[in-house]
Amino acid sequence: MKINIGKSDRIIRIIFALVLFSLFFFLEGNLKYLALIGIIPLVTAFIKFCPLYTLFGISTCKIK
């Protein structure tokens, strides 16, 4: 796995994941479980790899 997520992209993903997780407390019924989708951007932010970026040839990581 080659790193393809840059620092700013990681921060945005973490914030987005936290927003999705907060929906768990505001939605009612079974809809609140949709907030668990926030796991995906959180995991990709921590491993610094996004499979969709590889598929489309995108990289937000600065080349060294």
Side-chain angles (χ1 to χ4, degrees), residues 15-38:
I15 292 170
F16 184 64
L18 293 175
V19 168
L20 284 174
F21 286 142
S22 69
L23 289 176
F24 186 80
F25 300 105
F26 295 108
L27 296 176
E28 295 181 9
N30 289 333
L31 280 177
K32 67 181 178 180
Y33 294 109
L34 287 175
L36 297 178
I37 293 175

Side-chain angles (χ1 to χ4, degrees), residues 38-54:
I39 293 172
I40 296 169
L42 188 65
V43 168
T44 57
F46 283 114
I47 64 172
K48 300 179 186 178
F49 176 76
C50 179
L52 286 177
Y53 278 11
T54 304

